[in-house]
Amino acid sequence: MNIDICIPSHLRIFYHNQGRWQHIKGESFYNPLGEPPDLEFATRKYDISREKLVIELFRVNGGKPGYYISDLKQKRFYYCGDNSDSVHAQLRSLGIGRDDPMEN
């Protein structure tokens, strides 16, 4: 599963369905240190275990199926909804990204 999205490296997107969590890899728009995009590196860098990450994501909305965003740096977690447009909307509510002016 892939979403065409560009996000800061401290944000990670997950999809939850039928008891399984999947890390959705986006592209970083700013990565001056060339950090790898994998989840293992990010969990070490921001000092959060995978177990703690899943617990926090589950707490957001009771593990409801759909997309979630984790801010590993600030340890904040958000439920987006059940489609990729909801991810874009949540990111915009966090001040990341903007509507495409060419679509209006």
Side-chain angles (χ1 to χ4, degrees), residues 16-95:
H16 181 245
N17 193 24
Q18 298 180 350
R20 297 182 56 92
W21 293 92
Q22 181 180 0
H23 176 229
I24 307 297
K25 292 183 181 177
E27 294 185 33
S28 291
F29 64 81
Y30 183 69
N31 189 359
L33 302 177
E35 296 173 350
D38 64 275
L39 186 57
E40 290 300 320
F41 178 83
T43 55
R44 283 193 313 272
K45 179 178 180 177
Y46 296 107
D47 193 31
I48 185 168
S49 70
R50 290 186 96 154
E51 294 79 18
K52 176 76 172 164
L53 178 58
V54 169
I55 288 168
E56 294 299 328
L57 288 168
F58 190 87
R59 284 183 181 167
V60 172
N61 203 23
K64 184 176 179 180
Y67 291 94
Y68 292 74
I69 295 174
S70 66
D71 180 336
L72 299 176
K73 188 176 185 178
Q74 296 182 9
K75 308 292 191 280
R76 293 185 182 156
F77 307 90
Y78 309 91
Y79 176 73
C80 300
D82 60 359
N83 61 55
S84 60
D85 290 337
S86 63
V87 175
H88 291 279
Q90 180 66 45
L91 287 169
R92 284 192 301 276
S93 77
L94 297 172

